[in-house]
Amino acid sequence: MGQKLSVAQARSPAWIGKEVVVRGWVRTRRDSKGGFSFLELNDGSCLENLQIIADQKLENYESEIRRLGAGCSIRVEGLLQASPGSKQATELLAHKIIVYGWADPERYPLQKKHHSFEFLRTIAHLRPRTNTFGAVARVRNCLCMAIHEFFQNEGFLYIHTPIITPSDCEGAGAMFQVTTLNLADVPKRNGEIDYSLDFFDRPSYLTVSGQLEAEALACALGKVYTFGPTFRAENSNTTRHLAEFWMVEPEMAFFELEDNVELAERFLRHLFGRVLERCPEDMAFFRERIDPTAIETLERIIESPFVRLSYTEAIELLQGSGRAFEFPVQWGRDLQAEHERYLTEEHFRGPVILYDYPRQIKPFYMRLNDDGKTVRAMDVLVPKVGEIVGGSQREERLEILEARMAEQGLEAQNYWWYLDLRRYGTVPHSGFGLGVERALQFITGLGNIRDVIPFPRFPGWAEF
Ligand code: ATP
Ligand code: MN
């Protein structure tokens, strides 16, 4: 009956001359005058299809094979042979074709060759069958494996921080509340919601970051990373924000900001290098169809060091640029997308690491500099996407941390355990977060973050 192969395996010359079995979905059928048909078969194992040759002598040729079209699922047994065509090394001469499932050509939504990304989002359950979304899925897989590989090689422990958390004011963004209270009849006491009747006895939320908990583990285990889903309820309908996204967050004891920056840069280089090395076919597809500079951009980044610039220097540079920005450039204000783009796309033409931000625009846990005005924050900005990494050296001095919390109106008692890390054996430590989808957006050149996660969640949308 033959060895069961994926399409990727069957496309390699290694199996020529062997009886094999492949299973997958038909992309196209072409009938030749010579009494046979060509089927293009895809099973997601690679971008390219396997060419199947189905002769009219096959018993179901007229009854079934001549009715096959886009979306039908089949199993093919046959002889793998060298292909005379220039597009592929092999082709499969079918001895037997079994149809698993039909796809009505009148109704199957992927009949047409080109669909808009907007339309494909409305059929997120079928879009993995297109070239673009297959390629995204394979690159996403490669990226996630490269993330683990990097940290494992560096001696980090993979840890899991909670998804449900009571910390409600980390400053990262609006949160989704988690409750088992009956929303149609919320229990009240003295006019306020009675959380003693809620599942956890208190308000709880979906996490916006695993950082605070990761700090607890780093302050015992040294170098750790947490990698999981993250949730933000801000109503930002942009091409760079999702309500549910994946973030990898390393946290390192005894790392100061310089060590943190150095690690982030080496980490990103490793990731881009691995994708280029392991997904050449998919990256060539992105270069051809999505962004002509996709491969070149990554290659350039791997070769040249990232620019490092303090926030203050960036402000001076922007003010001296002679550019009329829509949002004024002023020390103490957050940089807007247009400012980030000027730095990464026009001035430096590459990634920029900004550090030492004004204390008033960053969260309480970032370490205060001796100038009293700035904190040890760092963001990695890249062309087109903007911020892909955000991190900092954490404030390890108890009194200063308490003062910063008071300044931002946070109640110390809600953070008692976080403060304990500074009470007992405190150490300098640092960490950062990389948004997996932002990284994928940058790698693939896809314009909208909703197209680099299989089932995106954003305001007004959770269909699947
Ligand atoms: P931004 O200012 O771009 O909204 P942020 O500063 O709020 O991002 P951080 O809290 O620093 O983001 O989160 C760390 C990383 O997580 C970011 O650098 C980014 O890569 C990613 N990220 C943050 N928010 C989102 C989101 N809503 N959707 C997808 N990725 C996100
Ligand atoms: Mn940030």
Side-chain angles (χ1 to χ4, degrees), residues 153-198:
N153 288 342
E154 296 271 331
F156 282 64
L157 284 188
Y158 175 32
I159 58 158
H160 298 100
T161 47
I163 288 170
I164 299 175
T165 165
S167 325
D168 69 339
C169 25
E170 201 248 306
M175 304 182 87
F176 290 99
Q177 193 165 347
V178 174
T179 183
T180 50
L181 293 179
N182 178 1
L183 293 183
D185 183 17
V186 178
K188 298 239 171 115
R189 207 157 96 197
N190 307 328
E192 304 221 332
I193 296 173
D194 185 0
Y195 281 108
S196 71
L197 297 172
D198 203 354

mmCIF file of all heavy atoms in Angstrom, residues 153-198:
data_model
loop_
_atom_site.group_PDB
_atom_site.id
_atom_site.type_symbol
_atom_site.label_atom_id
_atom_site.label_comp_id
_atom_site.label_asym_id
_atom_site.label_seq_id
_atom_site.Cartn_x
_atom_site.Cartn_y
_atom_site.Cartn_z
ATOM 1 N N ASN A 153 18.573 27.344 25.730
ATOM 2 C CA ASN A 153 20.031 27.357 25.537
ATOM 3 C C ASN A 153 20.734 28.332 26.469
ATOM 4 O O ASN A 153 21.910 28.172 26.770
ATOM 5 C CB ASN A 153 20.387 27.718 24.089
ATOM 6 C CG ASN A 153 20.062 26.592 23.131
ATOM 7 O OD1 ASN A 153 19.892 25.445 23.561
ATOM 8 N ND2 ASN A 153 19.950 26.902 21.855
ATOM 9 N N GLU A 154 20.010 29.360 26.903
ATOM 10 C CA GLU A 154 20.602 30.369 27.787
ATOM 11 C C GLU A 154 20.443 29.998 29.263
ATOM 12 O O GLU A 154 20.761 30.795 30.136
ATOM 13 C CB GLU A 154 19.931 31.733 27.558
ATOM 14 C CG GLU A 154 20.145 32.307 26.174
ATOM 15 C CD GLU A 154 21.407 33.163 26.066
ATOM 16 O OE1 GLU A 154 21.808 33.764 27.077
ATOM 17 O OE2 GLU A 154 21.983 33.213 24.961
ATOM 18 N N GLY A 155 19.873 28.830 29.526
ATOM 19 C CA GLY A 155 19.731 28.391 30.912
ATOM 20 C C GLY A 155 18.543 28.977 31.652
ATOM 21 O O GLY A 155 18.543 29.044 32.891
ATOM 22 N N PHE A 156 17.514 29.405 30.926
ATOM 23 C CA PHE A 156 16.299 29.918 31.576
ATOM 24 C C PHE A 156 15.363 28.757 31.922
ATOM 25 O O PHE A 156 15.337 27.751 31.228
ATOM 26 C CB PHE A 156 15.530 30.862 30.637
ATOM 27 C CG PHE A 156 16.097 32.248 30.530
ATOM 28 C CD1 PHE A 156 17.362 32.469 29.989
ATOM 29 C CD2 PHE A 156 15.348 33.347 30.944
ATOM 30 C CE1 PHE A 156 17.873 33.763 29.875
ATOM 31 C CE2 PHE A 156 15.848 34.639 30.836
ATOM 32 C CZ PHE A 156 17.114 34.853 30.306
ATOM 33 N N LEU A 157 14.559 28.959 32.974
ATOM 34 C CA LEU A 157 13.492 28.004 33.282
ATOM 35 C C LEU A 157 12.188 28.513 32.703
ATOM 36 O O LEU A 157 11.829 29.683 32.875
ATOM 37 C CB LEU A 157 13.300 27.878 34.796
ATOM 38 C CG LEU A 157 14.300 27.079 35.609
ATOM 39 C CD1 LEU A 157 13.772 26.959 37.040
ATOM 40 C CD2 LEU A 157 14.506 25.690 35.014
ATOM 41 N N TYR A 158 11.472 27.617 32.053
ATOM 42 C CA TYR A 158 10.138 27.943 31.514
ATOM 43 C C TYR A 158 9.138 27.816 32.658
ATOM 44 O O TYR A 158 8.995 26.741 33.235
ATOM 45 C CB TYR A 158 9.837 26.955 30.386
ATOM 46 C CG TYR A 158 8.472 27.039 29.763
ATOM 47 C CD1 TYR A 158 7.776 28.237 29.660
ATOM 48 C CD2 TYR A 158 7.877 25.885 29.239
ATOM 49 C CE1 TYR A 158 6.535 28.293 29.057
ATOM 50 C CE2 TYR A 158 6.637 25.938 28.632
ATOM 51 C CZ TYR A 158 5.965 27.138 28.543
ATOM 52 O OH TYR A 158 4.736 27.172 27.946
ATOM 53 N N ILE A 159 8.499 28.910 33.007
ATOM 54 C CA ILE A 159 7.548 28.897 34.125
ATOM 55 C C ILE A 159 6.161 29.296 33.608
ATOM 56 O O ILE A 159 6.027 29.800 32.492
ATOM 57 C CB ILE A 159 7.961 29.888 35.235
ATOM 58 C CG1 ILE A 159 8.072 31.312 34.657
ATOM 59 C CG2 ILE A 159 9.281 29.466 35.872
ATOM 60 C CD1 ILE A 159 7.956 32.398 35.676
ATOM 61 N N HIS A 160 5.139 29.052 34.422
ATOM 62 C CA HIS A 160 3.772 29.414 34.038
ATOM 63 C C HIS A 160 3.182 30.340 35.084
ATOM 64 O O HIS A 160 3.063 29.963 36.243
ATOM 65 C CB HIS A 160 2.917 28.160 33.892
ATOM 66 C CG HIS A 160 3.405 27.246 32.822
ATOM 67 N ND1 HIS A 160 4.150 26.126 33.096
ATOM 68 C CD2 HIS A 160 3.310 27.319 31.487
ATOM 69 C CE1 HIS A 160 4.474 25.532 31.947
ATOM 70 N NE2 HIS A 160 3.981 26.239 30.960
ATOM 71 N N THR A 161 2.849 31.531 34.658
ATOM 72 C CA THR A 161 2.228 32.489 35.565
ATOM 73 C C THR A 161 0.718 32.444 35.352
ATOM 74 O O THR A 161 0.253 32.011 34.293
ATOM 75 C CB THR A 161 2.793 33.893 35.300
ATOM 76 O OG1 THR A 161 2.773 34.131 33.895
ATOM 77 C CG2 THR A 161 4.229 33.997 35.798
ATOM 78 N N PRO A 162 -0.066 32.865 36.358
ATOM 79 C CA PRO A 162 -1.517 32.675 36.258
ATOM 80 C C PRO A 162 -2.178 33.537 35.189
ATOM 81 O O PRO A 162 -1.696 34.618 34.858
ATOM 82 C CB PRO A 162 -2.024 33.062 37.654
ATOM 83 C CG PRO A 162 -0.965 33.925 38.222
ATOM 84 C CD PRO A 162 0.336 33.470 37.640
ATOM 85 N N ILE A 163 -3.275 33.037 34.682
ATOM 86 C CA ILE A 163 -4.061 33.778 33.696
ATOM 87 C C ILE A 163 -5.143 34.588 34.408
ATOM 88 O O ILE A 163 -5.490 35.677 33.985
ATOM 89 C CB ILE A 163 -4.633 32.787 32.667
ATOM 90 C CG1 ILE A 163 -3.480 32.298 31.787
ATOM 91 C CG2 ILE A 163 -5.734 33.423 31.833
ATOM 92 C CD1 ILE A 163 -3.807 31.156 30.888
ATOM 93 N N ILE A 164 -5.653 34.052 35.514
ATOM 94 C CA ILE A 164 -6.609 34.809 36.322
ATOM 95 C C ILE A 164 -5.838 35.453 37.465
ATOM 96 O O ILE A 164 -5.057 34.778 38.146
ATOM 97 C CB ILE A 164 -7.701 33.888 36.898
ATOM 98 C CG1 ILE A 164 -8.474 33.228 35.750
ATOM 99 C CG2 ILE A 164 -8.644 34.679 37.806
ATOM 100 C CD1 ILE A 164 -9.485 32.203 36.225
ATOM 101 N N THR A 165 -6.017 36.744 37.655
ATOM 102 C CA THR A 165 -5.224 37.446 38.662
ATOM 103 C C THR A 165 -6.058 38.497 39.372
ATOM 104 O O THR A 165 -6.945 39.095 38.775
ATOM 105 C CB THR A 165 -3.986 38.108 37.996
ATOM 106 O OG1 THR A 165 -3.420 39.052 38.900
ATOM 107 C CG2 THR A 165 -4.369 38.833 36.721
ATOM 108 N N PRO A 166 -5.747 38.720 40.666
ATOM 109 C CA PRO A 166 -6.452 39.791 41.379
ATOM 110 C C PRO A 166 -5.795 41.156 41.198
ATOM 111 O O PRO A 166 -6.391 42.163 41.554
ATOM 112 C CB PRO A 166 -6.363 39.346 42.838
ATOM 113 C CG PRO A 166 -5.093 38.562 42.907
ATOM 114 C CD PRO A 166 -4.896 37.939 41.566
ATOM 115 N N SER A 167 -4.551 41.198 40.664
ATOM 116 C CA SER A 167 -3.877 42.502 40.519
ATOM 117 C C SER A 167 -4.573 43.289 39.421
ATOM 118 O O SER A 167 -4.555 42.875 38.272
ATOM 119 C CB SER A 167 -2.410 42.338 40.149
ATOM 120 O OG SER A 167 -1.875 41.209 40.757
ATOM 121 N N ASP A 168 -5.150 44.413 39.804
ATOM 122 C CA ASP A 168 -5.997 45.104 38.823
ATOM 123 C C ASP A 168 -5.387 46.389 38.291
ATOM 124 O O ASP A 168 -5.950 47.040 37.444
ATOM 125 C CB ASP A 168 -7.365 45.407 39.426
ATOM 126 C CG ASP A 168 -7.283 46.460 40.503
ATOM 127 O OD1 ASP A 168 -6.182 46.650 41.050
ATOM 128 O OD2 ASP A 168 -8.307 47.085 40.790
ATOM 129 N N CYS A 169 -4.210 46.800 38.798
ATOM 130 C CA CYS A 169 -3.779 48.133 38.359
ATOM 131 C C CYS A 169 -2.305 48.160 38.041
ATOM 132 O O CYS A 169 -1.563 49.012 38.471
ATOM 133 C CB CYS A 169 -4.115 49.175 39.406
ATOM 134 S SG CYS A 169 -4.241 48.503 41.057
ATOM 135 N N GLU A 170 -1.904 47.200 37.251
ATOM 136 C CA GLU A 170 -0.499 47.116 36.909
ATOM 137 C C GLU A 170 -0.114 48.252 35.967
ATOM 138 O O GLU A 170 1.060 48.522 35.755
ATOM 139 C CB GLU A 170 -0.219 45.744 36.295
ATOM 140 C CG GLU A 170 1.222 45.338 36.355
ATOM 141 C CD GLU A 170 1.822 45.291 34.980
ATOM 142 O OE1 GLU A 170 1.281 44.607 34.112
ATOM 143 O OE2 GLU A 170 2.837 45.972 34.787
ATOM 144 N N GLY A 171 -1.096 48.886 35.390
ATOM 145 C CA GLY A 171 -0.790 50.034 34.550
ATOM 146 C C GLY A 171 -0.642 49.687 33.084
ATOM 147 O O GLY A 171 -0.462 50.554 32.247
ATOM 148 N N ALA A 172 -0.731 48.409 32.753
ATOM 149 C CA ALA A 172 -0.482 48.009 31.366
ATOM 150 C C ALA A 172 -1.689 48.252 30.469
ATOM 151 O O ALA A 172 -1.551 48.380 29.268
ATOM 152 C CB ALA A 172 -0.076 46.553 31.295
ATOM 153 N N GLY A 173 -2.889 48.286 31.042
ATOM 154 C CA GLY A 173 -4.037 48.501 30.179
ATOM 155 C C GLY A 173 -5.314 48.049 30.843
ATOM 156 O O GLY A 173 -5.294 47.448 31.914
ATOM 157 N N ALA A 174 -6.448 48.327 30.195
ATOM 158 C CA ALA A 174 -7.751 47.951 30.738
ATOM 159 C C ALA A 174 -7.873 46.431 30.798
ATOM 160 O O ALA A 174 -7.338 45.726 29.949
ATOM 161 C CB ALA A 174 -8.847 48.536 29.874
ATOM 162 N N MET A 175 -8.591 45.930 31.812
ATOM 163 C CA MET A 175 -8.652 44.485 32.027
ATOM 164 C C MET A 175 -10.051 43.918 31.834
ATOM 165 O O MET A 175 -11.050 44.615 32.021
ATOM 166 C CB MET A 175 -8.171 44.177 33.442
ATOM 167 C CG MET A 175 -6.782 44.703 33.729
ATOM 168 S SD MET A 175 -6.215 44.289 35.386
ATOM 169 C CE MET A 175 -5.500 42.673 35.113
ATOM 170 N N PHE A 176 -10.104 42.635 31.483
ATOM 171 C CA PHE A 176 -11.368 41.902 31.443
ATOM 172 C C PHE A 176 -11.617 41.334 32.829
ATOM 173 O O PHE A 176 -10.751 40.666 33.385
ATOM 174 C CB PHE A 176 -11.297 40.738 30.460
ATOM 175 C CG PHE A 176 -11.243 41.158 29.020
ATOM 176 C CD1 PHE A 176 -10.029 41.195 28.348
ATOM 177 C CD2 PHE A 176 -12.401 41.502 28.336
ATOM 178 C CE1 PHE A 176 -9.973 41.567 27.004
ATOM 179 C CE2 PHE A 176 -12.347 41.871 26.998
ATOM 180 C CZ PHE A 176 -11.136 41.909 26.329
ATOM 181 N N GLN A 177 -12.801 41.571 33.358
ATOM 182 C CA GLN A 177 -13.114 41.022 34.672
ATOM 183 C C GLN A 177 -13.610 39.586 34.556
ATOM 184 O O GLN A 177 -14.285 39.232 33.582
ATOM 185 C CB GLN A 177 -14.176 41.901 35.343
ATOM 186 C CG GLN A 177 -14.312 41.589 36.819
ATOM 187 C CD GLN A 177 -15.070 42.670 37.577
ATOM 188 O OE1 GLN A 177 -15.288 43.757 37.048
ATOM 189 N NE2 GLN A 177 -15.468 42.367 38.782
ATOM 190 N N VAL A 178 -13.251 38.771 35.545
ATOM 191 C CA VAL A 178 -13.689 37.373 35.598
ATOM 192 C C VAL A 178 -14.629 37.242 36.782
ATOM 193 O O VAL A 178 -14.265 37.608 37.900
ATOM 194 C CB VAL A 178 -12.475 36.437 35.813
ATOM 195 C CG1 VAL A 178 -12.927 35.001 36.018
ATOM 196 C CG2 VAL A 178 -11.502 36.538 34.651
ATOM 197 N N THR A 179 -15.830 36.735 36.555
ATOM 198 C CA THR A 179 -16.766 36.639 37.671
ATOM 199 C C THR A 179 -17.746 35.501 37.476
ATOM 200 O O THR A 179 -18.014 35.097 36.340
ATOM 201 C CB THR A 179 -17.545 37.965 37.856
ATOM 202 O OG1 THR A 179 -18.392 37.841 39.004
ATOM 203 C CG2 THR A 179 -18.408 38.285 36.641
ATOM 204 N N THR A 180 -18.258 34.962 38.589
ATOM 205 C CA THR A 180 -19.362 34.013 38.502
ATOM 206 C C THR A 180 -20.635 34.633 39.075
ATOM 207 O O THR A 180 -21.645 33.957 39.227
ATOM 208 C CB THR A 180 -19.043 32.708 39.271
ATOM 209 O OG1 THR A 180 -18.598 33.055 40.582
ATOM 210 C CG2 THR A 180 -17.960 31.907 38.574
ATOM 211 N N LEU A 181 -20.564 35.919 39.405
ATOM 212 C CA LEU A 181 -21.773 36.599 39.887
ATOM 213 C C LEU A 181 -22.807 36.650 38.766
ATOM 214 O O LEU A 181 -22.459 36.696 37.586
ATOM 215 C CB LEU A 181 -21.437 38.030 40.331
ATOM 216 C CG LEU A 181 -20.543 38.177 41.572
ATOM 217 C CD1 LEU A 181 -20.286 39.656 41.868
ATOM 218 C CD2 LEU A 181 -21.165 37.491 42.790
ATOM 219 N N ASN A 182 -24.054 36.634 39.144
ATOM 220 C CA ASN A 182 -25.128 36.710 38.163
ATOM 221 C C ASN A 182 -25.272 38.166 37.701
ATOM 222 O O ASN A 182 -25.709 39.020 38.467
ATOM 223 C CB ASN A 182 -26.424 36.204 38.804
ATOM 224 C CG ASN A 182 -27.597 36.311 37.848
ATOM 225 O OD1 ASN A 182 -27.440 36.742 36.696
ATOM 226 N ND2 ASN A 182 -28.770 35.923 38.330
ATOM 227 N N LEU A 183 -24.913 38.405 36.468
ATOM 228 C CA LEU A 183 -24.895 39.788 35.994
ATOM 229 C C LEU A 183 -26.297 40.399 35.941
ATOM 230 O O LEU A 183 -26.455 41.613 35.972
ATOM 231 C CB LEU A 183 -24.226 39.875 34.620
ATOM 232 C CG LEU A 183 -22.727 39.548 34.601
ATOM 233 C CD1 LEU A 183 -22.151 39.736 33.204
ATOM 234 C CD2 LEU A 183 -21.954 40.413 35.603
ATOM 235 N N ALA A 184 -27.304 39.531 35.873
ATOM 236 C CA ALA A 184 -28.671 40.050 35.829
ATOM 237 C C ALA A 184 -29.167 40.437 37.227
ATOM 238 O O ALA A 184 -30.188 41.092 37.366
ATOM 239 C CB ALA A 184 -29.597 39.004 35.218
ATOM 240 N N ASP A 185 -28.428 39.997 38.254
ATOM 241 C CA ASP A 185 -28.862 40.289 39.615
ATOM 242 C C ASP A 185 -27.619 40.310 40.516
ATOM 243 O O ASP A 185 -27.372 39.392 41.293
ATOM 244 C CB ASP A 185 -29.862 39.207 40.063
ATOM 245 C CG ASP A 185 -30.417 39.502 41.450
ATOM 246 O OD1 ASP A 185 -30.287 40.660 41.909
ATOM 247 O OD2 ASP A 185 -30.947 38.563 42.076
ATOM 248 N N VAL A 186 -26.845 41.362 40.393
ATOM 249 C CA VAL A 186 -25.573 41.450 41.095
ATOM 250 C C VAL A 186 -25.817 41.719 42.584
ATOM 251 O O VAL A 186 -26.527 42.653 42.938
ATOM 252 C CB VAL A 186 -24.712 42.576 40.489
ATOM 253 C CG1 VAL A 186 -23.402 42.726 41.241
ATOM 254 C CG2 VAL A 186 -24.444 42.308 39.010
ATOM 255 N N PRO A 187 -25.253 40.871 43.482
ATOM 256 C CA PRO A 187 -25.479 41.079 44.918
ATOM 257 C C PRO A 187 -24.775 42.350 45.414
ATOM 258 O O PRO A 187 -23.635 42.610 45.054
ATOM 259 C CB PRO A 187 -24.855 39.840 45.561
ATOM 260 C CG PRO A 187 -23.874 39.340 44.560
ATOM 261 C CD PRO A 187 -24.399 39.707 43.214
ATOM 262 N N LYS A 188 -25.499 43.108 46.232
ATOM 263 C CA LYS A 188 -24.922 44.358 46.733
ATOM 264 C C LYS A 188 -24.954 44.377 48.253
ATOM 265 O O LYS A 188 -25.806 43.764 48.886
ATOM 266 C CB LYS A 188 -25.746 45.539 46.203
ATOM 267 C CG LYS A 188 -25.746 45.648 44.687
ATOM 268 C CD LYS A 188 -25.189 46.984 44.236
ATOM 269 C CE LYS A 188 -24.968 47.028 42.754
ATOM 270 N NZ LYS A 188 -25.802 47.981 42.077
ATOM 271 N N ARG A 189 -23.995 45.101 48.805
ATOM 272 C CA ARG A 189 -23.992 45.350 50.247
ATOM 273 C C ARG A 189 -23.616 46.806 50.445
ATOM 274 O O ARG A 189 -22.612 47.260 49.901
ATOM 275 C CB ARG A 189 -22.975 44.435 50.938
ATOM 276 C CG ARG A 189 -23.388 44.170 52.375
ATOM 277 C CD ARG A 189 -22.780 42.886 52.895
ATOM 278 N NE ARG A 189 -21.554 43.159 53.623
ATOM 279 C CZ ARG A 189 -20.642 42.242 53.910
ATOM 280 N NH1 ARG A 189 -20.797 41.007 53.488
ATOM 281 N NH2 ARG A 189 -19.578 42.549 54.605
ATOM 282 N N ASN A 190 -24.401 47.533 51.169
ATOM 283 C CA ASN A 190 -24.198 48.981 51.355
ATOM 284 C C ASN A 190 -23.998 49.699 50.013
ATOM 285 O O ASN A 190 -23.117 50.538 49.872
ATOM 286 C CB ASN A 190 -23.003 49.274 52.264
ATOM 287 C CG ASN A 190 -23.110 48.533 53.586
ATOM 288 O OD1 ASN A 190 -24.225 48.311 54.082
ATOM 289 N ND2 ASN A 190 -21.989 48.141 54.148
ATOM 290 N N GLY A 191 -24.772 49.304 49.033
ATOM 291 C CA GLY A 191 -24.709 49.973 47.735
ATOM 292 C C GLY A 191 -23.559 49.557 46.846
ATOM 293 O O GLY A 191 -23.448 49.998 45.704
ATOM 294 N N GLU A 192 -22.673 48.687 47.364
ATOM 295 C CA GLU A 192 -21.524 48.266 46.543
ATOM 296 C C GLU A 192 -21.638 46.784 46.205
ATOM 297 O O GLU A 192 -22.270 46.024 46.934
ATOM 298 C CB GLU A 192 -20.221 48.498 47.326
ATOM 299 C CG GLU A 192 -20.065 49.933 47.773
ATOM 300 C CD GLU A 192 -18.649 50.433 47.605
ATOM 301 O OE1 GLU A 192 -17.719 49.613 47.660
ATOM 302 O OE2 GLU A 192 -18.492 51.655 47.405
ATOM 303 N N ILE A 193 -20.985 46.386 45.124
ATOM 304 C CA ILE A 193 -21.009 44.975 44.736
ATOM 305 C C ILE A 193 -20.383 44.134 45.843
ATOM 306 O O ILE A 193 -19.313 44.454 46.359
ATOM 307 C CB ILE A 193 -20.247 44.765 43.407
ATOM 308 C CG1 ILE A 193 -20.973 45.525 42.288
ATOM 309 C CG2 ILE A 193 -20.133 43.289 43.068
ATOM 310 C CD1 ILE A 193 -20.244 45.553 40.968
ATOM 311 N N ASP A 194 -21.072 43.050 46.201
ATOM 312 C CA ASP A 194 -20.596 42.210 47.305
ATOM 313 C C ASP A 194 -19.707 41.091 46.751
ATOM 314 O O ASP A 194 -20.175 39.999 46.432
ATOM 315 C CB ASP A 194 -21.793 41.621 48.064
ATOM 316 C CG ASP A 194 -21.347 40.838 49.290
ATOM 317 O OD1 ASP A 194 -20.113 40.762 49.535
ATOM 318 O OD2 ASP A 194 -22.215 40.303 49.987
ATOM 319 N N TYR A 195 -18.425 41.385 46.689
ATOM 320 C CA TYR A 195 -17.495 40.415 46.096
ATOM 321 C C TYR A 195 -17.236 39.210 46.990
ATOM 322 O O TYR A 195 -16.649 38.228 46.551
ATOM 323 C CB TYR A 195 -16.179 41.090 45.701
ATOM 324 C CG TYR A 195 -16.293 41.837 44.396
ATOM 325 C CD1 TYR A 195 -16.317 43.235 44.350
ATOM 326 C CD2 TYR A 195 -16.404 41.143 43.193
ATOM 327 C CE1 TYR A 195 -16.439 43.914 43.150
ATOM 328 C CE2 TYR A 195 -16.534 41.807 41.992
ATOM 329 C CZ TYR A 195 -16.547 43.194 41.977
ATOM 330 O OH TYR A 195 -16.676 43.847 40.788
ATOM 331 N N SER A 196 -17.691 39.283 48.249
ATOM 332 C CA SER A 196 -17.495 38.103 49.095
ATOM 333 C C SER A 196 -18.312 36.932 48.552
ATOM 334 O O SER A 196 -18.078 35.784 48.898
ATOM 335 C CB SER A 196 -17.896 38.416 50.538
ATOM 336 O OG SER A 196 -19.305 38.552 50.615
ATOM 337 N N LEU A 197 -19.278 37.235 47.676
ATOM 338 C CA LEU A 197 -20.070 36.166 47.064
ATOM 339 C C LEU A 197 -19.516 35.747 45.698
ATOM 340 O O LEU A 197 -20.048 34.855 45.055
ATOM 341 C CB LEU A 197 -21.533 36.618 46.907
ATOM 342 C CG LEU A 197 -22.242 36.921 48.229
ATOM 343 C CD1 LEU A 197 -23.608 37.541 47.980
ATOM 344 C CD2 LEU A 197 -22.376 35.648 49.067
ATOM 345 N N ASP A 198 -18.469 36.405 45.256
ATOM 346 C CA ASP A 198 -17.885 36.040 43.958
ATOM 347 C C ASP A 198 -16.928 34.852 44.145
ATOM 348 O O ASP A 198 -16.521 34.539 45.263
ATOM 349 C CB ASP A 198 -17.142 37.239 43.342
ATOM 350 C CG ASP A 198 -17.007 37.117 41.824
ATOM 351 O OD1 ASP A 198 -17.377 36.062 41.263
ATOM 352 O OD2 ASP A 198 -16.530 38.085 41.192
#
